[in-house]
Amino acid sequence: MHTSVLGRTGATVSSIGLGTWQLGADWGEVSEADAFSVLDAAVESGVTIFDTADVYGDGRSEQLIGRYLRERPDANVFVATKMGRRLPQVPENYSTENFLAWNDRSRQNLQVDTLDLVQLHCPPTPVYSIDRVYDDLDAMVDAGRIRHYGVSVETVEEALTAIARPNVASVQIIVNAFRLKPLDAVLPAAQDAGVGVIARVPLASGLLSGRYSRETTFAENDHRNYNRNGDAFDVGETFSGVNYDDGVEAAQQFAALAAEHDLAPATAALAWLVHLPGISTVIPGARSPEQARMNAAAGGVEPLGDDFHARVVALYDQYFRAAVHPRW
């Protein structure tokens, strides 16, 4: 497993982490036993960073991680959580009082006094420019409530605004073979500033696994069903915002490219991200131990080369650039 320093946190983390949105049951039901099996498989495969949020399963994901790490104190896992989406998404709800309340709840869920990393969870765009927000976060660090803070963003402009702040440790952004815009400015700016980049939605909600067809159906409580048109939250979080049919077709071509390197599509998609300059860690989710182990294996794959990268860009240009690049 390759490792990297997560920006201004100074923490060394695995190049493949584990995103735990799935464990909150927002992708279909996951039992506690199954969740613990996934966490175990990830840790045993070399994963040292879990990413969660206070709204994943209304705190269930955080609670499961907290209980798991109590039982596995030897796991040495860095936990990144998020806050800010428990109330309507208006800037005034990002208040000092709410920050403290959300922080108290996450610390209780995770059973710790100090959170490793707290990220603002894709707040309204104006929040990234409010000085008081950063003053509050600095005060929470000083009080020992959190060790570091970062942001999770929807757009590259939000990322660049946050990177300019002196104490932002990390930026989490959607980047994958179907969403290349962060490569233009965000990754270089983060490198220059010493800010970590956490790559989320790295498999485009599973499209890049190559397992889906136009006829594939998803559970009623799976966001790939109910949020396909952005009815519940930003559509960019579901299939990276790409047209599903186009995504299926492009994924078939990506799978063929991966096969040329004797790799499964998901492994190739993750390994390609791992070696992009500026990426600190990549956080695919997993609903089974097998998925967790396969994802983690990508962290040991060597760079795939310039030709692979050029063909990823060509695929993006053909299918997605016109629709996706201007939007996020």
Side-chain angles (χ1 to χ4, degrees), residues 162-208:
I163 287 169
R165 293 284 175 162
N167 294 325
V168 167
S170 62
V171 168
Q172 184 175 144
I173 191 167
I174 296 174
V175 55
N176 59 53
F178 295 169
R179 281 279 289 272
L180 299 190
K181 191 173 182 179
L183 278 63
D184 295 347
V186 173
L187 299 191
Q191 276 190 293
D192 289 344
V195 171
V197 174
I198 301 173
R200 78 170 186 278
V201 198
L203 298 177
S205 304
L207 274 175
L208 280 161

Side-chain angles (χ1 to χ4, degrees), residues 249-266:
E249 187 170 337
Q252 292 172 349
Q253 295 191 36
F254 183 87
L257 173 59
E260 293 178 22
H261 292 258
D262 297 320
L263 295 172

